[in-house]
Structures are given as C-alpha cells and as structure tokens.
Amino acid sequence: MKSNFKSITGSCKAWSLNKLPIKHFILTTLVCFATQTSVQAQEVQYTKPSWWFGAAAGANFNFYRGSTQVLNENFTPPTAFHNGFGVGLYLAPLVEYHRPDSYFGFMFQTGYDNRNGKFEQVITPCNCPADLEAKLSYFTIEPSLRFTPFKSNFYLYGGPRLAFNLNKSFTYQQDNNPDYPLQITNPDVTGDFSEVEKTIFSMQIGMGYDIPIGSQISKTQFVLSPFIAFQPYFGQNPRATETWNLTTVRAGFALKFGRGKQIVTDEIVDGEVQFSVNQPKNVLVQNSVREVFPLRNYIFFNLGSNQIPDRYVLLNKGQVKDFKEDQVQFNTPKNMSGRSDRQMLVYYNVINILGDRMQKNPSSSIKLVGSSEKGSDDGRTMAENVKKYLVDVFSINGSRITIEGRVKPLVPSEQPGGKLELDLLREGDRRVTIESNSPELLMEFQSGDAPLKPVEIITVEQNQNMDDITFNNVGSKEVFSTWMLELKDGNGKIKNFGPYSEDKIIISRNTILKNQQQGNFNIVMVGQTKSGKTVRKDATVTILPYVAPQIKESVRFSVIYEFNESKSIAIYEKYLTEIVTPKIPIGATVIIQGHTDIIGEDNYNQNLSLARANDVKTIIEKSLANSGRKDVKFEIHGYGEDVKYSLFENKFPEERFYNRTVVIDLLPNK
C-alpha cells in the first residue's frame, strides 16, 4: 500500500500547469487529492486545520468606464473610445490561516490577473466603424482579512490589491465606410499603450463558502470554495493620462488543503488497566422537530378499579406553583428517552395541564363523564376522583366541575355484535371524558367532547453530550483503590480532578478549558494500587471548545381518529384548513403518515391507515388550492399497525388511541 501511495503522489507532483490545459489540471488535482484523502484515512480524529494551502482560479469580468484616445505617441485615432467590457483569466496560489473557533483569519493570494476588454464601437469622421481592444494583464498580490460571521463555512474577506503590469498592448481596427464598400480596408494597428501605470494599488471585498471534500476527521482535509469578489474603480486607472478606469467582478473556485491536529489519544495499556481519552467531535447540525402534540381528552382507568392509575402524573399541593405545561417535556424521567416516551409523558400530565389551564382561566368550566362497564355509578365514582384531585390539589372551585356517570361513552370503541378483541375495546371505553365549552381549554374551534388544546414540544435528536470528555480507565476497579487525573496546559498550569474509583469518568470541556479557546494538555493518570503501589500514565490531548450545532427545524402536526374511522371527523377539517395549511412554507414537502392500533386485521388496518392519510391530504390540498397555491409536494404513507413504524406501544388504551393517528410533517424546501 505504501509503495502504491508513493507512486500516486509522485505522479501528481510530476503534472504541472505548464504541461496540461487548465481544465485537465483541475480535474487531475481533484483526483490526486481524493486519492490521498482515502489513503490517509485513520481511525483517530483530527481537528479542522488552521493553515490551508492551495490555488484559486476564476474569471475577471472587467467593466471599462471613462474615455481614451491618445493611445501612444505614434498613434491617435480620430475618435475617442468610451466604456467597454471583457473577461479575463485569474490564476493564483494561496495561503490561508483561520482557526476553527475564531471569527477572523488571514488570506494571501498572488498570481496572474488578466484585465482584457473591448471598448464600445465608435464611428470616425469618415463614417467608418472603429474598434479598440485592450490587452492588459498584471502580476497581483492580494492580502486579505477573512471574517467568519457565524463561525460556519461561509466567510467574508477584504483587503488591498497590489498589481504590477505585465502586458499593455492594444489592437485598433477601422472598417470601411459602408457608403464606399470597395474602398481598401485600413490595416489593423497594434502597439502598446503609453503612460501605463506600472503599479496599481486598489482594494477588494468578497465572500466565499468552504465545501468539504472527503473525510473531515482525517489528518489531511480538503475544501472546495466558490467565491466572488468586487474590485471597484478606486485606484484602478490603467493609465496616468485621460479618464479610463476599470471595475472588476471576479468569480471562481479555490481548492485548498490543510492538516489537522489529533484530538483523540491512542489507548495506553498497563497490564490489566487500559487508560484512554475520548473527545467527541462537534456536531454541525442537529435536527429539531417542533411538534404540535394533540392532547386527548380522556383519562383511562384500569379494569376493576375506579382510582386514577399511577401511570398518570399526580402532584401534591406544594408542587402546583412550579408546574408549567410548556415545560412538561423537560421533566422527562431518565427511563424515558425515546420520542414515544416523551410524548406520552405529556399526555400523562393531562389532569395537571387541565388544572393549570383552569387556574389561569377562572371563568372556564368542565364536565367530567365517567363511563364504566360496571354501571353509571362506578363511572360517576371515577369522575368524582378526578374532580377531587382538581379541587384538592389545584384549588379549583367545585362548582366549575359537573359530574355524569354512564355505561358507555358517547363514542364507544366496543360496537354491538362485536366478538373480537373485546378486552382491548372495553379497556378503551373505561374512561373519564373531559367536556367543555371554554375555548381556553380546548383545541381550536371545538367544544363539548373534543381534544384539549395541543401542547407544543421541541424535540431535538438525541446525541452524546458533545461537551463531555470521557476518561476511560478500564480495569481500574480491580487494580486501583483510587485514581486521579492531573491536567497540565501549555502554560504549565495544573488542574487536578479526583479521586475516582469507577472505570469511566466524564468532565466537560468547558470545565477543563475555562476561558481558553483550545489547549494542548499533558494528562497524567495517577493510580494507587490496592497493594499501595503508585502507577502513572501520560497522554497528550488537544482539547477544543464545544461548539453548539446549528438546529435544523421542521414542524409536525397530528390528527387523532376515533376507533375504526377513516373519514376525518368534522372537528379536524377547520383545524387542518385554518391552522395547519397556513404554516406550510413555500415550496415545502408535506409528508403524511397514517397509523392504526393493533386491533383488527393487518390488511384492514393497512388500508385504513392509508385512507386516513389520503383524507388529510384531500383537506390540505383543497385548502391550498383555495389559496391559489400549487408549490407543495406530498408524500403519502399508510403503515397500518406495523410495529417498525408504530409511534407508540399498544399496551395501554391511551397508547392505542394515540396510534390511531395521521402525522403531518412540514419540511421546508432545502
């Protein structure tokens, strides 16, 4: 492998711009860089380089303004020329310095800079059309200050331009008088402009974007940077006489490579103890879903009990003052890490959310309807227990809460004549339904037996804490009684951590760096064996500061169906039309996914979920059409009860109710 790499590298070095056309040169360079990148891939991670080297190529769009006539002491055309335009080549090697964690950096380019152009045609006194082409080129030196306003791949730059003239020739051509076509054509006049400025001092401003090529954790990294620059006419008079001046817009690409520093140490082994340090790389983008989570207005009770089940979150009176419904999702227990768990936690706070809203809206009132297969008295007892909680814990006046007991809810799951999966259906019918005519409590446009106002949840994809440095000391429990860490920075300042007894400890980067941008640390692990021996192991790590990722956000809405329904119940049509549709961005993609619970046959549920998804699509499409919009793309999926795509489990009735849903994802145009 090494010999192959050397031969490839040697071949790349042998090619040059002088021996290949520029197009072939650029393609060949890219192939060489890609080859070297793959060869140099390593298991360890490296920082983003601070120093970059490469080359820039582009086109100068040259705009001539002003006038010129006396071309040199030997030739003055009969008519002055005004304004013009041309395109010239720009080629330059480059050097850049910019630390990954800094706003500012430095750029330096020097190379060939062509300012060719052709003046607008003029008519001489003999009624002859005349043309003048200027062939100007320079050796340019361009140092610039680089500014990264968002610490991202986008950057701005600006600085002076010092140019030394290389070519100053012209070609003058005068055609025949169109009235005398047989007249002998005047020969072209070529020569050099006189009084040309040998040195030009001007300035430029520009912007660019670094596009990574290949691996960004290897030692050698590459970027391709499209750029555009503006060089105004200030100081760009090509000649010391007359009024001709030059403005240039430059557009092109820069190909750059650099070498990063290692940020993960090699593993250190001492007998049965393995010591290593791991620093996770910064994540540039995290996906975030802003979800409008529907709040089902049912409280389900266990068969055989009229007490509120312990899976619902119940507070004591002293906790009420700190309860905030918009912070429910942040109080997630450690055993609830997935999307389903976090959303069900919101639902399991439904009684607390109801109490909080009734406190904030003292004119609101509710009706609690308990439904029990044991009879209306048992259903009434269930409703009384919910009322008692609201009165005792949230201090809601009992006159604002009315009670009713029933055998079946108004919208039952168990239908007359049904014979299959009756236990699951009856679990869903044993519930307390929250009814109200107060708009402060319910979802938009609804009253009576309807879902409560949704809760908005911000869900960010779960990643390892990027601020954490992990120190692994595998086997230390068996070998050491205690161990500690000694971290020495580049200035000789020492920080001590410990003692520890576990095999792995975590320290945040900010705790280690404090106010430093980054630092090279000599890390010493000092362990005391159980026999009293001291063991020391060293490692060197470059610690970079944690950089918060950019959050990429999408929006999600949900529609909940009653059992066995495919047509969207009327309460949702106005919601989809007036709430969801206006939030669809221009050019967005709307992904609509239909789901069911596990009750029923697989094929039936598959068709039912697709029918639900198409029902929602029809309503949204109609609303968009009424607004004159045809810019939205749709993706429709029906997943039925497929457990691979199921949003929630199906153990409890509330999970089955939430699985009877259509999820609407609004993805902005990329």
Side-chain angles (χ1 to χ4, degrees):
M1 183 67 183
K2 290 183 179 179
S3 61
N4 291 339
F5 174 68
K6 288 181 179 179
S7 64
I8 293 170
T9 306
S11 299
C12 292
K13 290 180 179 179
W15 291 322
S16 69
L17 181 60
N18 294 329
K19 295 183 179 180
L20 284 175
I22 184 62
K23 178 179 178 181
H24 292 175
F25 170 74
I26 293 174
L27 291 174
T28 301
T29 304
L30 285 172
V31 170
C32 293
F33 285 169
T35 303
Q36 294 184 36
T37 299
S38 63
V39 171
Q40 294 176 2
Q42 300 182 34
E43 293 182 358
V44 296
Q45 299 176 5
Y46 291 86
T47 66
K48 194 172 182 180
S50 296
W51 284 96
W52 297 87
F53 305 89
N60 290 329
F61 298 90
N62 305 314
F63 299 87
Y64 292 174
R65 293 295 180 265
S67 302
T68 190
Q69 183 173 7
V70 180
L71 305 187
N72 56 36
E73 59 274 12
N74 298 320
F75 182 69
T76 300
T79 303
F81 288 88
H82 312 279
N83 303 335
F85 174 76
V87 179
L89 177 67
Y90 172 74
L91 284 175
L94 63 85
V95 177
E96 291 186 17
Y97 175 79
H98 47 91
R99 292 169 57 179
D101 55 350
S102 176
Y103 287 105
F104 293 96
F106 176 77
M107 301 170 57
F108 183 79
Q109 298 181 9
T110 179
Y112 177 75
D113 194 15
N114 187 285
R115 300 303 173 99
N116 287 355
K118 188 173 183 179
F119 285 90
E120 295 176 0
Q121 190 175 76
V122 297
I123 303 298
T124 65
C126 68
N127 198 29
C128 301
D131 296 286
L132 177 63
E133 181 179 0
K135 298 178 181 179
L136 295 178
S137 62
Y138 296 87
F139 176 77
T140 184
I141 298 175
E142 300 176 3
S144 298
L145 180 67
R146 173 183 165 125
F147 175 56
T148 310
F150 313 112
K151 289 189 178 180
S152 66
N153 290 359
F154 172 75
Y155 61 91
L156 304 171
Y157 65 94
R161 169 180 174 261
L162 184 63
F164 302 93
N165 183 255
L166 298 176
N167 187 18
K168 54 184 178 181
S169 63
F170 67 83
T171 298
Y172 173 84
Q173 182 180 21
Q174 181 175 313
D175 292 336
N176 296 337
N177 185 327
D179 296 330
Y180 302 98
L182 298 180
Q183 181 179 348
I184 298 175
T185 303
N186 294 318
D188 294 348
V189 178
T190 60
D192 287 343
F193 287 104
S194 62
E195 299 190 61
V196 169
E197 298 283 7
K198 294 182 179 179
T199 303
I200 296 288
F201 186 80
S202 58
M203 53 86 68
Q204 69 170 337
I205 55 173
M207 60 182 177
Y209 191 87
D210 289 334
I211 303 172
I213 301 175
S215 172
Q216 294 302 289
I217 60 173
S218 62
K219 186 172 184 179
T220 303
Q221 301 171 29
F222 303 89
V223 295
L224 184 66
S225 298
F227 66 85
I228 186 169
F230 175 65
Q231 299 178 357
Y233 67 88
F234 310 117
Q236 291 209 84
N237 292 57
R239 305 176 67 193
T241 185
E242 300 180 324
T243 62
W244 175 22
N245 62 65
L246 177 59
T247 295
T248 295
V249 175
R250 178 186 295 161
F253 292 86
L255 189 62
K256 300 177 285 190
F257 71 93
R259 291 198 168 196
K261 296 180 179 179
Q262 183 176 328
I263 60 175
V264 178
T265 65
D266 291 331
E267 196 172 66
I268 303 169
V269 180
D270 180 30
E272 297 180 357
V273 177
Q274 299 177 359
F275 177 64
S276 62
V277 184
N278 179 266
Q279 175 181 202
K281 65 176 182 178
N282 285 316
V283 175
L284 299 180
V285 178
Q286 277 188 316
N287 293 318
S288 168
V289 178
R290 182 163 57 87
E291 179 156 12
V292 181
F293 181 65
L295 197 58
R296 185 71 269 184
N297 58 317
Y298 301 152
I299 303 162
F300 297 93
F301 283 70
N302 296 332
L303 294 174
S305 173
N306 52 30
Q307 300 297 312
I308 301 173
D310 59 8
R311 62 183 181 271
Y312 288 88
V313 178
L314 301 178
L315 307 176
N316 60 50
K317 197 174 182 68
Q319 294 173 312
V320 168
K321 66 179 185 303
D322 297 321
F323 179 83
K324 301 287 187 300
E325 73 168 74
D326 58 352
Q327 296 178 2
V328 167
Q329 67 270 26
F330 299 119
N331 301 323
T332 306
K334 290 182 179 179
N335 64 341
M336 287 187 170
S337 59
R339 171 180 176 269
S340 172
D341 289 336
R342 290 193 298 273
Q343 292 188 339
M344 290 312 297
L345 178 66
V346 176
Y347 165 74
Y348 285 135
N349 274 276
V350 61
I351 314 177
N352 300 322
I353 292 172
L354 177 63
D356 184 52
R357 291 177 182 177
M358 293 186 74
Q359 276 189 339
K360 294 174 180 176
N361 301 279
S363 63
S364 63
S365 61
I366 62 171
K367 180 180 181 180
L368 299 175
V369 181
S371 304
S372 170
E373 79 289 352
K374 292 184 176 182
S376 59
D377 288 342
D378 188 55
R380 186 176 182 87
T381 301
M382 291 158 49
E384 286 283 2
N385 286 331
V386 176
K387 176 179 178 179
K388 184 177 187 303
Y389 177 79
L390 291 171
V391 172
D392 293 348
V393 176
F394 281 86
S395 302
I396 305 300
N397 191 314
S399 63
R400 298 168 59 191
I401 307 174
T402 58
I403 299 296
E404 181 183 333
R406 298 175 58 90
V407 176
K408 290 277 189 181
L410 289 175
V411 186
S413 297
E414 183 184 0
Q415 301 296 319
K419 297 181 180 180
L420 300 176
E421 301 177 289
L422 294 181
D423 288 344
L424 296 180
L425 295 174
R426 288 167 183 167
E427 282 185 358
D429 287 346
R430 184 174 175 78
R431 66 184 187 242
V432 170
T433 301
I434 304 165
E435 298 182 4
S436 179
N437 291 318
S438 302
E440 300 86 0
L441 307 181
L442 302 179
M443 70 175 292
E444 290 88 345
F445 319 120
Q446 306 310 318
S447 62
D449 180 4
L452 299 180
K453 186 175 293 184
V455 175
E456 188 169 294
I457 306 172
I458 306 296
T459 304
V460 179
E461 65 182 6
Q462 298 299 301
N463 291 303
Q464 175 187 358
N465 190 341
M466 295 296 105
D467 187 33
D468 291 342
I469 305 291
T470 303
F471 299 85
N472 296 297
N473 211 9
V474 180
S476 62
K477 283 186 177 181
E478 290 73 26
V479 177
F480 298 144
S481 56
T482 62
W483 60 279
M484 62 177 295
L485 290 171
E486 179 184 281
L487 277 67
K488 182 190 294 186
D489 63 18
N491 298 321
K493 186 177 180 180
I494 296 176
K495 300 177 183 179
N496 294 301
F497 299 91
Y500 306 108
S501 58
E502 57 268 37
D503 284 353
K504 179 176 73 174
I505 62 102
I506 294 173
I507 305 175
S508 74
R509 302 192 220 192
N510 290 335
T511 299
I512 297 173
L513 290 174
K514 293 297 183 183
N515 298 323
Q516 293 178 257
Q517 292 295 316
Q518 68 178 54
N520 295 319
F521 287 86
N522 181 49
I523 300 173
V524 181
M525 186 281 296
V526 183
Q528 297 294 325
T529 67
K530 294 179 180 179
S531 62
K533 179 183 175 182
T534 300
V535 176
R536 298 171 63 91
K537 287 297 176 184
D538 295 356
T540 301
V541 178
T542 300
I543 297 178
L544 302 174
Y546 168 68
V547 178
Q550 176 187 355
I551 303 299
K552 183 179 179 182
E553 185 180 86
S554 61
V555 182
R556 173 177 293 152
F557 293 90
S558 300
V559 174
I560 301 177
Y561 287 76
E562 295 297 345
F563 178 71
N564 203 31
E565 284 188 332
S566 63
K567 284 290 182 182
S568 178
I569 43 184
I571 65 172
Y572 283 113
E573 184 159 358
K574 194 172 181 67
Y575 177 72
L576 291 170
T577 300
E578 299 189 18
I579 300 299
V580 177
T581 302
K583 290 184 170 60
I584 300 176
I586 300 297
T589 297
V590 178
I591 301 177
I592 302 176
Q593 306 170 40
H595 302 269
T596 70
D597 60 18
I598 59 171
I599 301 174
E601 297 295 330
D602 289 355
N603 290 339
Y604 177 82
N605 284 337
Q606 176 69 33
N607 294 331
L608 178 63
S609 66
L610 189 59
R612 289 172 173 173
N614 280 309
D615 181 30
V616 170
K617 175 177 180 282
T618 299
I619 294 173
I620 294 177
E621 270 191 325
K622 180 180 177 182
S623 178
L624 287 168
N626 290 339
S627 302
R629 291 184 58 183
K630 298 181 180 179
D631 57 285
V632 177
K633 297 179 182 178
F634 287 90
E635 290 184 19
I636 309 300
H637 304 279
Y639 294 119
E641 61 181 77
D642 192 332
V643 294
K644 296 193 301 293
Y645 300 100
S646 182
L647 302 176
F648 304 94
E649 295 183 9
N650 287 278
K651 180 180 179 181
F652 295 112
E654 58 269 21
E655 294 172 330
R656 295 192 287 274
F657 267 72
Y658 271 105
N659 273 333
R660 302 166 194 162
T661 186
V662 170
V663 176
I664 309 153
D665 284 314
L666 311 183
L667 305 182
N669 186 26
K670 297 180 180 180

